Amino acid sequence: MKIEPADVSKVALLARLDLSAEEMQAMAAHLSGIVGYVQQLQEIDTSGVEPMAHAIELRNVMAKDVVAASLSRDAALSNAPRHDGEYYLVPAVLGE
Amino acid sequence: MSLLDHSALELLALLQSNQVRAEQVVTESLSRIEQLDPPIGSFLHVNHDGALAAARDVDRRRHLGQPVGALAGLPVALKDLICTIDQPTTCASRMLANFRPPYDATVVARLRAADAILIGKTNLDEFAMGSSTESSALQRTRNPWNRDHVPGGSSGGSAACIASDLVPLALGTDTGGSIRQPAAFCGITGLKPTYGRVSRYGLIAFASSLDQIGPMCRSAADAALLLQATAGHDRHDSTSADVEVPDYLKAIAQPISGLRIGILRQQLDSDVDPEIHRAVTEATYVLKSLGALCQDIDLPHSQYGVATYYVIAPCEASSNLARYDGVHYGFRATQLTAAELTASESADLESEGPLVRMYRRTRETGFGAEVKRRIMLGTYALSAGYYDAYYLKAQRVRRLIRQDFDRAYQQVDALLGPVTPTPAFRFGEKSQDPLSMYLGDLFTVSANLAGLPGLSIPCGITVQGLPIGLHLQGPSFAEPTLLRLAHAFQQATDWHARRPPTS
């Protein structure tokens, strides 16, 4: 299974990473190796086997719908890289 | 002689009978950390003043005859991806280097309620992704038995601080072996409980269907004590199990005569270091001499464990780590001014827009190589056209792996094998070849995929002076059986009492 730098570039955009050209080369080699190894799963007959998404397969877990204390706005904003005391600040999305 | 030569249970008895004060224990722990940790590097943060204040408060209440908690005065170290409101929580990542959680994890709240003393936060592979603690972006942790070797990972800091007798108790987390493998490499006892046994609320997520918090200590008896204080249902974690918590300390006192143990012969006879093969085989003789009944058993799909795990864990990781966007908390890359932009960056900005550029530059700078690799792997496996072939396929094999265990536990009460194929390796030996690092997880990942408990205890030391771990696994909620076997073994042997050479 060969993964090319062009594939890596597409996935990096999906993953919101911004790999350098050097990282792109190394990533293509590493991913090719790992995905190649993972190919061995294809040799197992899994027809009729239900996918197992979780270690304990719980039914819906319900909680009483009551108001409880939640984080204050100050606490919620306290770790934000940029905020104005009311909102998180991000780079302009729609232009200046 | 240090106070910390005592086990946690012995210290607790000394504290309860007023032979020592909590302040003495904590002062001794802090001074050992200050003197002995710099060359080892277990701790990322030491809660010096907070720990002393909490210890004095325990002493004051005890003096006044007021009630104190079950762990009153015992220092506990926490792997630094467990949220603490009064201490930084970094995940050993640049992304969270300055993160201060606005709440405590449930295990932390329970430890505070038990009057345990939260002594500090220990190093780990970045976001718990790794098997050597080398992927920590903040610090190197060395194996106390040989400083040229890794302590294992990802809970390498917690393992190293226990092996160095800096604290009697620590918590680690295990997603694919991250408690058991460093416990084996550092010669300590580490338990990964059944999935859902310990609340994950406030544990920063790596792979949510696999992650589990568990005790790392010097003995099975101390692990029983710490599990008792942290296990149990939590309404804040919808995957926590609403199953009664048994009395673990009472359970370990039971004899093991008649318990049926399945020897994982295929694992033992695979490409395992001969010294590990010998030590694990000798451990079976010890358990047999104590009355355990041994038979060989096979988990036919466990050979596919690593392949299955390295699809499922990165898929979950790529989703969980999407939250690090430079907006709500954590690191954000500085915005470049128009004058600072190169031609290609200007073109990217034009095509992607300022927000996506910020996300990408933030994540590119904030995450280290291994974390990026897993995010990429997970994103690739989940992307259109590959989902069925990788993610869904791996989930089907995951069920086959679980069914192997279910069949085995119809015949035996526990499974026994090696924790790792080799003892602790050298720095750099595997860090340039991710697949070789992943293959070292062969014996531990299946328990996470199946959601079942596993425990690592010391069972030997190589000629080179490196510890060897014995792996005991059991069915759902069989922690009492595993701790009972481990305790019986530790009553009959002294591997758990061995200490690294002091230098």
Side-chain angles (χ1 to χ4, degrees):
Chain A
M1 189 72 192
K2 184 95 170 82
I3 296 174
E4 303 292 342
D7 305 321
V8 174
S9 176
K10 270 184 231 159
V11 176
L13 174 60
L14 292 173
R16 297 292 185 256
L17 291 170
D18 194 27
L19 305 175
S20 66
E22 199 180 312
E23 281 183 296
M24 208 83 88
Q25 288 295 336
M27 190 68 81
H30 287 149
L31 291 187
S32 298
I34 298 162
V35 171
Y37 176 78
V38 162
Q39 288 302 323
Q40 63 178 283
L41 295 181
Q42 306 307 325
E43 66 193 43
I44 310 167
D45 180 7
T46 53
S47 47
V49 180
E50 275 294 298
M52 177 174 164
H54 221 267
I56 41 170
E57 291 163 296
L58 293 164
R59 282 166 295 173
N60 282 341
V61 177
M62 300 297 188
K64 287 213 175 76
D65 187 14
V66 289
V67 178
S70 56
L71 282 187
S72 68
R73 174 187 272 165
D74 284 349
L77 289 172
S78 63
N79 281 287
R82 288 195 65 199
H83 67 85
D84 66 1
E86 284 187 72
Y87 296 101
Y88 298 106
L89 296 181
V90 296
V93 180
L94 301 172
E96 303 297 328
Chain B
M1 174 78 190
S2 159
L3 262 181
L4 292 177
D5 290 339
H6 292 291
S7 73
L9 280 164
E10 287 166 355
L11 277 175
L12 198 57
L14 291 171
L15 285 159
Q16 285 167 348
S17 58
N18 290 312
Q19 295 179 65
V20 298
R21 286 174 294 111
E23 188 179 348
Q24 285 173 277
V25 176
V26 168
T27 302
E28 175 68 9
S29 179
L30 290 170
S31 85
R32 283 184 71 84
I33 293 169
E34 195 179 320
Q35 285 167 28
L36 304 174
D37 200 42
I40 301 297
S42 327
F43 280 90
L44 291 174
H45 175 80
V46 179
N47 181 30
H48 188 278
D49 296 351
L52 278 175
R56 287 181 191 129
D57 183 55
V58 165
D59 288 334
R60 184 185 57 80
R61 282 185 287 140
R62 197 172 252 139
H63 182 71
L64 293 173
Q66 292 173 357
V68 292
L71 301 179
L74 288 181
V76 182
L78 302 170
K79 184 177 181 180
D80 202 22
L81 77 173
I82 299 173
C83 285
T84 43
I85 199 165
D86 57 346
Q87 297 173 54
T89 300
T90 66
C91 292
S93 178
R94 283 187 295 277
M95 189 61 91
L96 292 177
N98 298 310
F99 181 59
R100 287 277 181 162
Y103 62 93
D104 273 335
T106 294
V107 288
V108 172
R110 287 187 179 173
L111 289 173
R112 289 192 208 276
D115 286 317
I117 310 297
L118 307 179
I119 202 102
K121 309 295 289 284
T122 58
N123 199 19
L124 62 149
D125 282 296
E126 184 177 6
F127 284 99
M129 297 178 192
S131 312
S132 65
T133 312
E134 288 169 290
S135 85
S136 169
L138 304 182
Q139 184 168 297
R140 170 169 279 199
T141 300
R142 294 175 183 278
N143 192 314
W145 292 81
N146 184 328
R147 293 176 193 173
D148 297 330
H149 291 249
V150 302
S154 64
S155 310
S158 287
C161 77
I162 293 293
S164 312
D165 286 345
L166 305 182
V167 288
L169 300 169
L171 285 179
T173 65
D174 192 313
T175 304
S178 283
I179 286 175
R180 292 162 288 158
Q181 184 256 25
F185 280 9
C186 290
I188 66 159
T189 299
L191 170 65
K192 180 202 97 71
T194 307
Y195 184 85
R197 180 72 292 180
V198 177
S199 168
R200 292 183 299 110
Y201 180 74
L203 163 63
I204 295 178
F206 158 17
S208 305
S209 82
L210 306 165
D211 297 339
Q212 187 61 199
I213 299 174
M216 301 179 78
C217 332
R218 278 171 257 160
S219 67
D222 284 357
L225 177 72
L226 186 52
L227 182 62
Q228 198 79 52
T230 46
H233 183 244
D234 174 19
R235 64 179 188 82
H236 291 305
D237 172 4
S238 60
T239 62
S240 89
D242 198 357
V243 174
E244 198 187 337
V245 179
D247 186 334
Y248 296 112
L249 281 168
K250 206 162 149 190
I252 61 168
Q254 307 294 314
I256 63 163
S257 181
L259 280 181
R260 300 163 304 167
I261 298 176
I263 317 277
L264 294 169
R265 180 62 55 193
Q266 266 199 336
Q267 292 189 0
L268 198 52
D269 291 348
S270 65
D271 196 12
V272 168
D273 182 284
E275 290 189 90
I276 292 181
H277 186 286
R278 191 179 322 127
V280 170
T281 304
E282 280 168 12
T284 64
Y285 300 152
V286 173
L287 291 167
K288 269 185 204 165
S289 75
L290 298 170
L293 308 170
C294 296
Q295 65 179 89
D296 286 355
I297 220 155
D298 186 21
L299 300 172
H301 294 92
S302 75
Q303 59 174 309
Y304 299 107
V306 171
T308 307
Y309 178 84
Y310 280 96
V311 174
I312 290 174
C315 285
E316 294 190 18
S318 72
S319 167
N320 273 324
L321 272 64
R323 72 189 60 171
Y324 302 103
D325 58 1
V327 175
H328 301 93
Y329 42 79
F331 171 80
R332 179 192 293 190
T334 49
Q335 209 170 345
L336 299 177
T337 63
E340 290 169 319
L341 289 173
T342 64
S344 83
E345 282 163 348
S346 292
D348 289 340
L349 185 62
E350 187 65 29
S351 66
E352 295 169 14
L355 195 58
V356 171
R357 283 312 297 157
M358 187 279 283
Y359 292 152
R360 294 188 75 179
R361 293 188 51 252
T362 291
R363 292 163 61 80
E364 177 58 25
T365 316
F367 291 135
E370 183 59 28
V371 172
K372 287 183 206 172
R373 193 145 49 227
R374 301 219 190 173
I375 290 174
M376 289 290 290
L377 191 55
T379 308
Y380 176 81
L382 289 172
S383 61
Y386 294 113
Y387 179 86
D388 285 6
Y390 294 113
Y391 186 60
L392 225 47
K393 183 75 184 182
Q395 286 196 331
R396 292 184 207 277
V397 180
R398 182 180 188 179
R399 185 172 301 280
L400 295 175
I401 289 171
R402 168 68 194 232
Q403 287 171 350
D404 283 353
F405 280 109
D406 290 344
R407 263 190 292 276
Y409 293 131
Q410 285 170 9
Q411 299 173 60
V412 295
D413 302 302
L415 294 170
L416 178 152
V419 182
T420 57
T422 67
F425 44 88
R426 287 171 181 277
F427 288 98
E429 202 176 315
K430 299 189 178 190
S431 51
Q432 298 311 310
D433 179 6
L435 187 56
S436 77
M437 185 81 85
Y438 300 173
L439 291 172
D441 300 342
L442 181 61
F443 303 144
T444 50
V445 289
S446 295
N448 300 81
L449 291 166
L452 302 175
L455 179 147
S456 172
I457 51 173
C459 71
I461 293 172
T462 66
V463 174
Q464 271 206 354
L466 294 166
I468 297 171
L470 177 72
H471 197 196
L472 295 168
Q473 301 180 79
S476 282
F477 303 107
E479 288 84 0
T481 310
L482 299 185
L483 290 166
R484 182 175 152 199
L485 283 166
H487 182 65
F489 182 80
Q490 292 180 338
Q491 296 298 104
T493 60
D494 73 345
W495 296 114
H496 67 293
R498 306 288 181 96
R499 290 291 177 276
T502 46
S503 56

